[in-house]
Amino acid sequence: MFPEQEYEGPEPASTARKLQRLAEHGVRSVPACCGAVATLSDGDGERRSSATHPDLAALVSLQLDSGDGPIRTALDSGEPVGAEDLLTDERWPDYRAMALGSGVRTSVTLPFRRAGMDVTLNLYGFRPGALAHPAYGFAAILGEEITAGLARDRRYRAALTELGQLTTALRSRPVIDQAGGIVMHVLGCDADEAYRVLRHVSQLTNRKLADVAQGVVRTRGRGLEKELSRLAPGTPRR
C-alpha cells in the first residue's frame, strides 16, 4: 500500500479534509486498490486534489494539465471509465506511459457532478482487472455523499458572504443618508441628485461609497461646496 499524502490548493480546509477522506476511504473500501486520488474543479478554474501517493498526484496533474486521460473522459461522459490493463490499453498514451512507469496496471475513474463542481475519485491497482465494478461499489456511494457535502459547504459559504455584504450595507446606510442630507444642503439639490453626486465621487476616487459618505459627514460639508459642485454629474471638470 502506498503511504498517504495530501495535496492542497486554494479551497478551504473543510474541502481538503473531504477530498482526503474520499481518497483514503476509496483505498480502504476496495481491497485490490493500491492508491487513490480525489480531485475537485469548477467553472472558475479552481483545482484541488488529495492523493495517497505523490506519483499518483503527478498522474492526475498530467491529465488535468493536458485535458486528456480517463478523468476528462469520465467527466465528459458522466460515467465511470476504467482501464483493465494499461499494458494493452492504447488510449491516452501519455497517461498510460506514466501510469506504467509508476507500476500501475489498472485504474478506474468515478465522476461526480454537483452545483457546478466536478469531483472525481481515481482508483489504481497493481493487478490487471482488479478494479471491476462490484469492487468499487461502496467507493461510488461514498463519492456521491462527499460531493453532496462539498456542494452544501459551497452554498453555505455563499450564504455567509451574502449575509456579510447585507450586514455591511445596513451598517453603512445611516452615514450615507446623513451625507446625502449634507450634500443636499450644500448644493441645494434634491435627494436623488445628492446620492448621484456621492456615487459619482465614489467612482472618480475609486473609494467605497460608505468611505466617501464618512468623509462628508466628518467635515460636515465644510469647504466642499466647490468640490461637490465640480464633481456633480453633468458638471464640466476644470
Side-chain angles (χ1 to χ4, degrees):
M1 184 73 67
F2 287 139
E4 294 176 355
Q5 182 167 337
E6 183 181 358
Y7 291 81
E8 297 194 7
E11 286 278 331
S14 60
T15 299
R17 287 193 295 270
K18 284 184 170 63
L19 290 177
Q20 182 181 22
R21 179 183 169 220
L22 179 56
E24 291 174 351
H25 283 262
V27 174
R28 294 169 186 163
S29 66
V30 182
C33 182
C34 66
V37 184
T39 73
L40 180 149
S41 59
D42 61 25
D44 295 329
E46 297 288 350
R47 283 186 1 192
R48 189 175 194 85
S49 65
S50 182
T52 58
H53 189 273
D55 286 351
L56 298 181
L59 191 56
V60 165
S61 294
L62 172 71
Q63 298 180 67
L64 297 178
D65 291 340
S66 68
D68 186 42
I71 290 179
R72 184 71 268 157
T73 303
L75 289 173
D76 287 344
S77 67
E79 299 291 336
V81 172
E84 290 193 6
D85 189 352
L86 287 166
L87 193 62
T88 58
D89 196 317
E90 297 183 354
R91 297 172 293 175
W92 324 298
D94 292 340
Y95 163 78
R96 175 177 174 246
M98 182 177 283
L100 291 173
S102 302
V104 172
R105 287 286 299 273
T106 184
S107 69
V108 63
T109 296
L110 309 177
F112 311 95
R113 181 165 288 166
R114 190 76 64 91
M117 295 185 302
D118 290 330
V119 176
T120 67
L121 174 59
N122 306 271
L123 305 173
Y124 301 94
F126 291 134
R127 292 186 294 105
L131 302 176
H133 186 280
Y136 62 75
F138 177 77
I141 294 172
L142 180 63
E144 291 285 1
E145 291 179 352
I146 287 183
T147 302
L150 288 168
R152 286 194 299 272
D153 288 350
R154 180 161 291 193
R155 287 194 295 268
Y156 178 67
R157 290 194 299 272
L160 286 181
T161 298
E162 184 177 0
L163 178 60
Q165 292 171 344
L166 290 172
T167 301
T168 299
L170 288 173
R171 286 175 178 170
S172 63
R173 189 68 205 183
V175 72
I176 293 174
D177 289 341
Q178 191 175 357
I182 293 172
V183 174
M184 289 170 62
H185 175 74
V186 170
L187 297 183
C189 63
D190 61 18
D192 289 341
E193 179 65 15
Y195 291 129
R196 279 196 293 270
V197 169
L198 290 173
R199 286 194 296 269
H200 195 52
V201 173
S202 172
Q203 293 166 0
L204 288 175
T205 59
N206 196 28
R207 296 162 60 201
K208 293 181 179 179
L209 180 59
D211 293 339
V212 171
Q214 285 175 352
V216 172
V217 171
R218 186 169 56 250
T219 62
R220 306 300 298 175
R222 289 189 295 274
L224 294 178
E225 294 88 346
K226 280 188 177 181
E227 188 67 12
L228 291 174
S229 297
R230 186 174 67 86
L231 293 174
T235 302
R237 297 186 64 182
R238 301 170 187 246

